[in-house]
Amino acid sequence: SYPIDVAAIREDFPILARKVGGDVTTPGEGEGDTEPLVYLDNAATSQTPKQVVEAIVDYYYGYNSNVHRGIHQLSQEASVAYEQAHDRVAEFVGADGREEIVFTKNTTEAMNLVAYAWGLNELGPGDRIVLTEMEHHASLVTWQQLAKKTGAEVKYIRVDDEGRLDMEHAKELIDESTKMVSVVHVSNTLGTINPVDELADMAHEVGAYIFVDGAQSAPTRPVDVGDIDADFFAFSGHKMLGPTGIGVLYGKEAILEETEPYLYGGDMIRRVTYEDATWEDLPWKFEAGTPNIAQGIGLHAAVDYLDDVGMKNVQRHEELLSKYAYDRLSEFDDITIYGPPGDDRGGLVAFNLDSVHAHDLSSILNDSAVAIRAGDHCTQPLHDKLGAAASARASFYIYNTREEVDELIEAVDGARELFA
Ligand SMILES: Cc1ncc(COP(=O)(O)O)c(CN[C@@H](CS)C(=O)O)c1O
């Protein structure tokens, strides 16, 4: 049975009562918007509950100020709130404390921070970076380009026909020359849930670090970075009920302590002379300039909201919806679904309807007020491997229902008839 009271949850998301189908040049519901929205693009970005918006409004109405600088009360209140947001996120992912939690713009920036603050100094010819064939461009392109700059080499763990990692191949690739293993926890295209704890052991056995891309896992299941033994773990606030403009890099304190910053400026320094500078304590050393304060406070509220729902309940809800969608899509022999079976995947299903290009399908579904994603989902090499220029993807979250999956199927049926 579904563990979440979706009707109650949906009350917290005004946008889910939206009607669509009208003019797109004027933002928000307007004339011609008559069809109730079915939002199934949560892997791209989730919706935002009132509680998060109100936390941000409270900040701007009540204690907006710059952090770590002013002595006046507003600045102290803003600083306390911003620091407590770090503490709350640390608790959410099982980090030891705020020293291990760097706020970034998003997952992409968190990846680049490690590549350029750690990788540029540590990697060179003869060193190996091990990725997987299912990596998102945020990690794949980042490490690929860093390898070009440093002379390191990149190797990709194979993905099998069911969309799972070939762990024998992983063992082969993760060798003594390996310095970094960067792997997506839950694939945003296949829905595959990777054995990141096993991969962490393999990396540590050869003295390498592991970077876990948690963009699709932190929002959708309990995460404990200690259990995984991740050296780095990244995720984005906008995929977990938070605002855009806030992401998180978790890093083991000892590693962050010995890593030089790569963005310089105010806030991240302790003492500056004309000759040199010394750095602020963690995590501030990695947060140069005025941070996204309101967004950090919004993320704090999002984490509180998710914890109230319960991450095990979030995971279960997603698994049930995803399996239901997988089973219903599997009823058709002209639909190709990518990734593992419906009972062994995260809360998303990427597929193609044989007779209809994914973009056309998405456009037709949009005509039925069903919002899904179509394209390569920032995994172009994976799509090349799948032999698909693009795919359609439905992705679910805590406010979606079985009835919405039925609407998806009905709209796909309609597209089939249109192109039959
Ligand atoms: C596994 C994974 N890793 C990194 C990112 C990047 O997150 P940012 O907040 O954009 O930095 C994403 C975001 N994937 C979106 C946009 S391509 C999707 O529709 O699938 C992701 O899914």
Side-chain angles (χ1 to χ4, degrees):
S1 72
Y2 284 68
I4 293 177
D5 178 354
V6 175
I9 292 273
R10 288 178 74 98
E11 291 299 308
D12 290 332
F13 295 80
I15 196 169
L16 296 177
R18 250 215 69 166
K19 302 233 178 352
V20 292
D23 169 26
V24 297
T25 55
T26 43
E29 188 168 313
E31 212 173 304
D33 288 324
T34 57
E35 299 298 312
L37 169 68
V38 178
Y39 184 77
L40 300 176
D41 193 20
N42 295 284
T45 204
S46 66
Q47 294 305 337
T48 314
K50 287 186 279 192
Q51 290 83 340
V52 168
V53 176
E54 284 157 8
I56 293 170
V57 169
D58 289 351
Y59 165 71
Y60 280 119
Y61 284 8
Y63 58 104
N64 174 41
S65 179
N66 213 324
V67 291
H68 299 149
R69 289 201 178 107
I71 305 299
H72 58 79
Q73 180 165 343
L74 284 192
S75 177
Q76 290 174 351
E77 289 177 7
S79 300
V80 166
Y82 187 67
E83 289 161 13
Q84 286 174 348
H86 284 72
D87 298 337
R88 187 69 183 87
V89 171
E91 188 190 354
F92 184 65
V93 295
D96 290 342
R98 65 173 66 167
E99 298 74 17
E100 299 190 317
I101 299 293
V102 178
F103 280 174
T104 59
K105 192 168 62 251
N106 49 34
T107 302
T108 303
E109 185 182 29
M111 288 269 165
N112 280 271
L113 190 163
V114 173
Y116 287 94
W118 172 82
L120 207 51
N121 298 323
E122 297 299 321
L123 297 178
D127 292 336
R128 177 177 286 185
I129 303 163
V130 174
L131 307 178
T132 78
E133 289 182 328
M134 65 173 88
E135 289 313 298
H136 184 282
H137 293 165
S139 105
L140 194 150
V141 180
T142 302
W143 291 114
Q144 171 197 80
Q145 295 306 310
L146 188 86
K148 284 170 70 174
K149 288 178 176 18
T150 58
E153 67 169 351
V154 175
K155 294 287 185 186
Y156 298 91
I157 301 171
R158 270 194 303 272
V159 172
D160 69 20
D161 296 345
E162 274 214 332
R164 292 195 176 90
L165 286 185
D166 176 343
M167 293 303 278
E168 283 314 305
H169 191 219
K171 278 198 190 80
E172 220 180 281
L173 291 180
I174 301 173
D175 67 2
E176 298 304 323
S177 71
T178 303
K179 297 290 178 289
M180 173 62 79
V181 176
S182 190
V183 59
V184 65
H185 195 173
V186 174
S187 165
N188 68 315
T189 299
L190 301 169
T192 310
I193 302 155
N194 287 319
V196 288
D197 48 353
E198 264 180 74
L199 288 159
D201 292 345
M202 289 185 199
H204 296 153
E205 269 159 35
V206 298
Y209 288 147
I210 184 162
F211 194 138
V212 176
D213 172 350
Q216 299 294 346
S217 60
T220 65
R221 61 202 49 240
V223 162
D224 185 311
V225 290
D227 289 351
I228 298 169
D229 197 12
D231 299 300
F232 301 105
F233 187 97
F235 52 100
S236 298
H238 68 94
K239 296 182 195 285
M240 50 188 282
L241 308 183
T244 50
I246 194 79
V248 179
L249 170 70
Y250 158 80
K252 281 181 180 168
E253 185 175 358
I255 302 174
L256 293 179
E257 205 55 79
E258 66 191 21
T259 302
E260 281 293 285
Y262 86 119
L263 285 177
Y264 300 98
D267 242 18
M268 52 79 65
I269 49 93
R270 174 160 299 151
R271 179 83 179 95
V272 181
T273 63
Y274 287 118
E275 293 68 35
D276 205 346
T278 57
W279 313 133
E280 203 25 290
D281 294 338
L282 289 174
W284 319 121
K285 173 173 91 170
F286 290 109
E287 296 193 16
T290 300
N292 288 330
I293 305 162
Q295 288 83 342
I297 290 165
L299 177 59
H300 186 154
V303 166
D304 286 343
Y305 191 99
L306 282 172
D307 265 350
D308 283 351
V309 175
M311 293 313 288
K312 283 194 183 317
N313 293 329
V314 174
Q315 178 176 351
R316 184 73 188 124
H317 183 78
E318 285 228 323
E319 284 168 352
L320 289 169
L321 275 186
S322 189
K323 179 162 183 355
Y324 181 60
Y326 185 97
D327 292 347
R328 290 227 54 194
L329 286 168
S330 303
E331 288 161 13
F332 305 103
D333 54 14
D334 60 350
I335 284 186
T336 307
I337 300 177
Y338 305 106
D343 56 2
D344 183 21
R345 58 170 50 227
L348 60 97
V349 187
F351 62 97
N352 267 309
L353 177 58
D354 294 353
S355 51
V356 185
H357 188 285
H359 288 115
D360 296 332
L361 179 61
S362 176
S363 165
I364 295 163
L365 265 53
N366 179 54
D367 294 342
S368 307
V370 177
I372 66 165
R373 180 155 182 197
D376 56 51
H377 319 309
C378 303
T379 57
Q380 283 181 17
L382 176 63
H383 274 82
D384 294 344
K385 177 186 169 75
L386 295 171
S391 60
R393 184 192 67 191
S395 50
F396 314 104
Y397 213 13
I398 57 173
Y399 35 66
N400 290 128
T401 63
R402 278 170 70 94
E403 291 69 31
E404 289 182 310
V405 172
D406 294 335
E407 302 219 27
L408 166 71
I409 300 302
E410 206 176 304
V412 169
D413 246 348
R416 173 187 289 107
E417 270 145 44
L418 211 58
F419 280 78

